[in-house]
Amino acid sequence: MADIIQLLPDHVANQIAAGEVVQRPASVVKELLENAIDAGADTIKLIIKDAGKTLVQVIDNGKGMSTTDARLSFERHATSKIRSAEDLFQLHTKGFRGEALASIAAIAHVELKTKQDTDDVGNVLVIEGSIVTSQDIVVTPTGTSVSVKNLFFNIPARRNFLKSDTVELRHIIDEFHRVALAHPGISFALYNNGSESFNLPISNYRQRIVNIFGAKTNEKLVPVEEDTEVLNISGFVGKPEFAKKTRGEQYFFVNNRFIKSAYLNHAIASAFEGLLKSGTHASYFLNLTVDPQTIDINIHPTKTEIKFDDEHTLYALLRSAVKHSLGQFNIAPVLDFERDPNLDTPYSYKKNETSIPKVEVDRSFNPFQEERSSKPRVASFKKEPTESWESLYVGLESKGNESKQDFSAISFESEERTASIFDEDKQVEKTHTTYQLHNKYIVSTIKSGMMVIDQHRAHQRVLYEDFLKNLTVKEAASQQLLFPLQLHFSPQDIVIINQLKVDLEHTGFVFSSVMEELVEITGVPVGVPESEVSIILEQLVSDVENEVPERHFSASDLLAKSMAKSLAIKTGQSLQKDEQEHLVNKLFACKEPNVSPTNRTTFITMSVDELDKKFI
Ligand code: ADP
Ligand code: MG
């Protein structure tokens, strides 16, 4: 028998390995930024075009490469960073596999320019799909510039698999943040499609966080410092009251490398126990420094996982360090020289006598008004109008036989008929056929029996179709605000808002300006309360960040869904009779009334037959 095993040709083997290292443009960003850091650069520029699909370029002022090294750097397993297996346990660099450049060059058009300080001229190399197409001498500053163009040009399947530009850019910015946060001693800039998105000068850690996440972050940070034999912890946690619904701002760095660890995350969460509103997550920016011998990062080239020798001790130390800081912050103000003095009590208030707090009781308080109601009330003393109970009996005499699925066949009880039952009762003002159950469902009689509608989902459907229509016809009505509304966002949120601006305008938003960290709004869609605007935009940004796009992803669809979600009547909100009816009517005027925008059932029906069966 002939031998059947063959060695894969190099370029095929390289493509396969590339799949491991390079999953998306953000992976290229990570590898190139890390190489620049390993080269000792203190100024690094990242240039992005079309979310990295057209271009990812990193320019550094590091030590550069010699002519031979420039050529060698693209060979697989060519690295200057380790010489033997033992070095793996003494890693002080980001890279060590010598795989990144080889992998990137296998699936993109790469141009490398590099010059060492001691040389007068540098080298320029062009490599396309692992093949060096040219090598020349070039006049270039000391350092290295790597341009990666047309990623996955030779693997169309991978290229098609990339997500929308918004999502890919989001991943790139995440990667950029992680690297920039781990290295405040290096200046970073990010240019996206020709405009500067971030410019981060060399600074201390607090300033770096503020430069990335916006000036407002400064007051939210509580310092954490702990130095023990096994580990050093330094950084900040966010004050509990600023905790967010999304897990965005959570960063662990171990020896300046961003890592993810559910276990250590849990340590922080437990330190915050009792301090956070449910459903919110504390932010943290924590650097752990440990002996490189006690960790193993050689798990997977792109994974941000790490193995610690003694996780339990780490957990305990981290938890207690964070608890300690939170305690200090809550009980006595910490002596923090970086603290913004404006945040302390102003002098004029210091001598003011404190007044005994008055207890005021809001008698009209309805604990079910909000979703996060604490305890159900045993009894309500508020006198409810009694007009609604009768609708329970309405229409039972008429048995229909509409099919359960066919919502178009659902016909509502007419009012005249219901009213007639109570003709002799003088109190009847107007009889309705809807009834609200537990401030969550709207029960309505239908010819065949009854229907139960989920008010939150139903309203989402109504709003979603409205917004979608406005987005397509582009002539939504807008209501002018008396005073412009100023909202603060972090620079990366602004990137997203800028991308959605045109669509948002089609729904009725009017932006007077979108600046680096501030959005000024002078008009909102009709019916959107001013107080909701910041919540809507925050939710929208977080939805875009966490979006898992389907193949036919459209920005308008996401926007409509997100706004519908924010604005829909919540579970727990009590509705007037006419509001209930209006909602039911609007729902059944929708194109797809039977499901919410996220495909959840909006209503169920129960026929009288089914009810009858229950009474056997
Ligand atoms: P690794 O970083 O794991 O060593 P890479 O494929 O990323 O592997 O890089 C290969 C080698 O090329 C590095 O070990 C380094 O010597 C050299 N190199 C890569 N990028 C740079 C850079 N920006 N400046 C100087 N040398 C670089
Ligand atoms: Mg590398």
Side-chain angles (χ1 to χ4, degrees):
M1 284 280 276
D3 296 334
I4 49 167
I5 296 177
Q6 290 182 352
L7 274 181
L8 285 173
D10 264 2
H11 68 277
V12 178
N14 282 352
Q15 281 188 11
I16 294 171
E20 297 232 318
V21 180
V22 185
Q23 281 147 1
R24 51 178 11 134
S27 334
V28 175
V29 168
K30 174 173 188 270
E31 295 297 339
L32 297 186
L33 289 178
E34 291 190 347
N35 280 349
I37 292 165
D38 285 345
D42 68 4
T43 304
I44 300 176
K45 265 189 213 156
L46 169 62
I47 298 167
I48 299 295
K49 290 221 172 87
D50 302 323
K53 293 170 186 172
T54 311
L55 173 74
V56 174
Q57 183 179 10
V58 171
I59 306 170
D60 69 55
N61 65 348
K63 63 177 184 227
M65 285 178 258
S66 69
T67 309
T68 326
D69 281 355
R71 185 85 182 222
L72 260 181
S73 65
F74 288 96
E75 296 293 326
R76 185 159 301 281
H77 304 307
T79 178
S80 55
K81 300 171 193 174
I82 58 168
R83 297 255 178 264
S84 67
E86 286 86 72
D87 289 348
L88 277 177
F89 298 98
Q90 290 292 350
L91 277 179
H92 295 284
T93 52
K94 307 265 170 194
F96 52 87
R97 291 163 200 277
E99 250 173 354
L101 287 184
S103 299
I104 294 167
I107 47 158
H109 298 148
V110 180
E111 188 197 72
L112 166 78
K113 278 189 197 168
T114 186
K115 182 181 97 67
Q116 293 183 307
D117 198 24
T118 45
D119 295 338
D120 294 332
V121 285
N123 287 278
V124 54
L125 259 100
V126 179
I127 299 170
E128 301 186 343
S130 299
I131 297 154
V132 180
T133 57
S134 81
Q135 177 161 10
D136 250 314
I137 283 170
V138 72
V139 176
T140 182
T142 298
T144 304
S145 153
V146 184
S147 309
V148 177
K149 295 177 196 158
N150 310 321
L151 192 65
F152 297 128
F153 77 97
N154 50 358
I155 319 180
R158 287 300 287 269
R159 199 172 164 88
N160 293 338
F161 194 68
L162 292 177
K163 304 277 164 63
S164 68
D165 281 7
T166 317
V167 175
E168 294 301 341
L169 183 62
R170 183 67 242 165
H171 284 286
I172 289 175
I173 293 176
D174 280 349
E175 214 55 79
F176 177 78
H177 284 166
R178 291 167 183 180
V179 175
L181 280 170
H183 299 275
I186 298 176
S187 113
F188 288 93
L190 166 58
Y191 299 86
N192 175 33
N193 289 335
S195 60
E196 184 184 271
S197 300
F198 289 94
N199 190 345
L200 311 171
I202 294 175
S203 62
N204 67 21
Y205 194 41
R206 181 189 274 267
Q207 284 162 337
R208 175 57 52 97
I209 296 171
V210 170
N211 286 336
I212 292 179
F213 295 102
K216 285 217 137 192
T217 321
N218 196 22
E219 60 186 279
K220 305 181 188 173
L221 301 175
V222 183
V224 180
E225 296 291 340
E226 192 74 65
D227 204 5
T228 72
E229 264 173 37
V230 278
L231 128 120
N232 171 284
I233 304 171
S234 76
F236 300 90
V237 291
K239 291 183 187 170
E241 62 264 39
F242 296 111
K244 286 193 158 190
K245 285 227 151 115
T246 49
R247 287 179 179 273
E249 294 166 9
Q250 300 189 324
Y251 296 89
F252 275 125
F253 300 93
V254 174
N255 297 355
N256 294 329
R257 190 188 286 271
F258 173 81
I259 60 138
K260 282 184 188 150
S261 163
Y263 186 65
L264 296 186
N265 179 61
H266 191 269
I268 310 278
S270 78
F272 270 91
E273 209 169 82
L275 296 172
L276 296 178
K277 272 192 246 159
S278 77
T280 62
H281 306 278
S283 44
Y284 52 82
F285 310 86
L286 293 170
N287 300 300
L288 315 184
T289 314
V290 298
D291 180 348
Q293 301 225 25
T294 65
I295 51 172
D296 182 3
I297 20 182
N298 190 11
I299 300 178
H300 187 278
T302 56
K303 282 212 181 118
T304 42
E305 279 159 22
I306 201 165
K307 257 176 39 206
F308 299 97
D309 283 355
D310 188 359
E311 267 198 335
H312 289 300
T313 314
L314 234 59
Y315 183 102
L317 285 173
L318 197 58
R319 190 179 115 115
S320 85
V322 173
K323 265 198 145 163
H324 181 70
S325 292
L326 288 171
Q328 267 193 325
F329 151 75
N330 276 333
I331 298 158
V334 222
L335 259 188
D336 178 359
F337 294 107
E338 286 172 341
R339 190 183 170 96
D340 183 349
N342 298 330
L343 301 173
D344 292 329
T345 322
Y347 271 112
S348 49
Y349 281 93
K350 281 200 170 144
K351 294 195 192 95
N352 285 3
E353 277 196 22
T354 48
S355 56
I356 300 166
K358 287 191 213 95
V359 178
E360 280 180 31
V361 179
D362 177 6
R363 297 201 185 276
S364 64
F365 172 72
N366 177 350
F368 300 106
Q369 208 85 47
E370 288 214 47
E371 224 167 356
R372 45 187 140 74
S373 60
S374 46
K375 278 181 220 152
R377 281 235 224 138
V378 182
S380 163
F381 296 104
K382 204 172 145 198
K383 199 173 173 295
E384 290 283 346
T386 50
E387 73 204 46
S388 45
W389 60 272
E390 59 261 45
S391 55
L392 274 176
Y393 297 94
V394 167
L396 287 185
E397 72 278 11
S398 62
K399 289 185 185 176
N401 47 8
E402 290 92 344
S403 88
K404 209 173 151 192
Q405 274 77 29
D406 188 7
F407 53 84
S408 56
I410 293 167
S411 44
F412 292 89
E413 283 299 302
S414 73
E415 287 187 0
E416 298 89 323
R417 195 139 39 119
T418 46
S420 67
I421 306 175
F422 296 96
D423 262 349
E424 59 283 66
D425 191 338
K426 287 181 198 77
Q427 283 176 13
V428 173
E429 309 125 44
K430 185 180 177 218
T431 317
H432 300 270
T433 52
T434 59
Y435 178 82
Q436 200 184 15
L437 198 66
H438 288 282
N439 287 339
K440 181 171 187 193
Y441 297 111
I442 298 169
V443 183
S444 180
T445 49
I446 50 174
K447 274 206 175 140
S448 62
M450 65 184 273
M451 176 168 62
V452 183
I453 300 164
D454 182 311
Q455 65 187 43
H456 178 58
R457 292 183 189 175
H459 198 210
Q460 273 193 51
R461 163 55 61 183
V462 171
L463 292 174
Y464 169 71
E465 291 199 5
D466 274 358
F467 284 127
L468 260 195
K469 198 169 80 213
N470 290 341
L471 280 165
T472 2
V473 299
K474 304 185 175 31
E475 50 191 32
S478 176
Q479 89 203 32
Q480 193 77 21
L481 296 176
L482 211 48
F483 301 103
L485 196 61
Q486 296 197 326
L487 300 173
H488 290 270
F489 286 95
S490 65
Q492 76 269 27
D493 289 353
I494 294 284
V495 172
I496 293 178
I497 289 175
N498 256 323
Q499 282 171 348
L500 296 168
K501 193 167 159 250
V502 175
D503 275 333
L504 281 166
E505 282 164 352
H506 292 151
T507 68
F509 279 101
V510 182
F511 293 92
S512 51
S513 75
V514 178
M515 285 176 291
E516 224 171 286
E517 291 177 18
L518 190 77
V519 174
E520 199 177 75
I521 294 170
T522 52
V524 296
V526 170
V528 170
E530 202 177 317
S531 56
E532 294 284 311
V533 174
S534 73
I535 301 169
I536 294 174
L537 291 182
E538 221 182 86
Q539 179 71 51
L540 181 64
V541 168
S542 125
D543 283 350
V544 171
E545 284 175 358
N546 301 316
E547 161 214 18
V548 185
E550 293 122 37
R551 252 191 319 155
H552 302 292
F553 160 75
S554 96
S556 346
D557 189 70
L558 181 80
L559 178 64
K561 269 187 193 148
S562 174
M563 288 190 37
K565 186 164 76 185
S566 306
L567 284 169
I569 294 164
K570 303 275 179 297
T571 296
Q573 190 167 331
S574 113
L575 297 176
Q576 299 292 321
K577 288 287 159 188
D578 47 351
E579 291 172 330
Q580 298 169 22
E581 279 184 5
H582 186 70
L583 177 58
V584 176
N585 290 336
K586 289 280 276 184
L587 176 67
F588 287 96
C590 283
K591 288 201 191 105
E592 272 186 69
N594 49 340
V595 285
S596 77
T598 47
N599 257 328
R600 320 277 276 285
T601 308
T602 47
F603 68 89
I604 52 152
T605 56
M606 193 180 257
S607 68
V608 178
D609 285 346
E610 285 170 88
L611 278 171
D612 285 347
K613 279 188 202 128
K614 299 213 181 280
F615 286 98
I616 293 170

